Amino acid sequence: MKRFMQNIRKVVPYVPGDQPDFPDMIKLNTNECPYPPSPAVEQALKQSESDQMRLYPDPTAHALNAAIAKAYGVEECQVFTGVGSDDVLAMIFLTFFNDNLPVLFPDITYAFYPVWCNLFRIPYAVQPLNDNFEIDPKDYEKPNGGIVFPNPNAPTGIAMPLASIEQILTHNPDSLVVVDEAYVDFGTPSALSLLSKYENLMVVQTFSKSRAMAGMRIGFAIGSPTLIQALHDVKYSFNSYTMNRTAIAAGAAAVQDAAYLKETTGKIITTRERTKAALRKMGFVCTDSKSNFLFVTHPKLDAHALFEALRAVHIFVRWFDAPRIRDYLRITIGTDAQMDVLLSFLNDYLKQRGI
Ligand SMILES: *Cc1c(COP(=O)(O)O)cnc(C)c1O
């Protein structure tokens, strides 16, 4: 083989959920919000001027970082923003996970973590969830080069109590512990309340799910000024202008509208609980999801066959070809009307099979 071919960095990329585009589809496969972003976002977009586009954006994304700092009661020097939390997490892996000891994360979790480890050549060791699909804090009391997990976890939706996160933090004073709070706004207490107590904690959140802005690509990390400075140093060594003008303006507007966030997430939580109850009545087994999706299995159904049947009628959900969870479907919470179409399809599907 030619040397330049041998020198190619070989990676197995992350596979994101499909982005189908049918006018009649019910898209419940990538945990997007079924409602629009805050009206304040539309206002900010109207005011953004295209003649400003010739100028580079503010590399510090000051307007956005300051708005996030204010909304979460921290200093601006404690905020790092990126192009979605995927960008923020990738920067965190690159900046902080540089040990010979393995980074620890669960076996069933966000599938991007092992991809970044492989890309950046970071050793890692997965820690199996227990039989109830819960993270056991005791699994994170071994020597490690860092710890990362989502809370609530994905795709199980199961949340860990803050006391368990504290147990992980206190047992790992020498490790950075990253809590990926992509779904925290759907009813889980944030680990941000632990920040003042633990210098080894970093919390990551996103505008993609609860703030209905997946297409705008905004994520952020909050941590100590020292850790955030380290992240900025790496970012400015890579690409100074990650946050574009529109994202800075739209994000700043969105984060100031706390009332709207509460209203939309409240609606989604209500729909989630109603759908969960209806599915359980049909014999589905659901985890106690605290996110904007359900993780369900049915003892008498083949999950992949059901996934295909749903797809045929343009109802898109997620099925993972992965050990332990092949019998499960992950279903994003849509509007009440969308969930009613799903439930009615499932009702007929079960009836046709005499279940
Ligand atoms: C959706 C998601 C992310 C990334 O979202 P972005 O759109 O890149 O902000 C990160 N972690 C988890 C667990 C997620 O589900």
Side-chain angles (χ1 to χ4, degrees), residues 135-158:
I135 292 173
D136 185 345
K138 284 203 192 65
D139 291 335
Y140 297 81
E141 295 177 5
K142 54 192 73 154
N144 65 75
I147 294 171
V148 57
F149 55 85
N151 193 47
N153 194 10
T156 63
I158 297 173

Side-chain angles (χ1 to χ4, degrees), residues 265-291:
T265 52
K267 277 197 284 192
I268 289 167
I269 291 168
T270 304
T271 308
R272 176 186 75 204
E273 294 310 313
R274 179 178 79 82
T275 309
K276 200 189 283 178
L279 287 171
R280 281 183 175 150
K281 259 197 195 143
M282 291 183 205
F284 283 92
V285 178
C286 313
T287 60
D288 184 26
S289 172
K290 295 284 185 237
S291 54

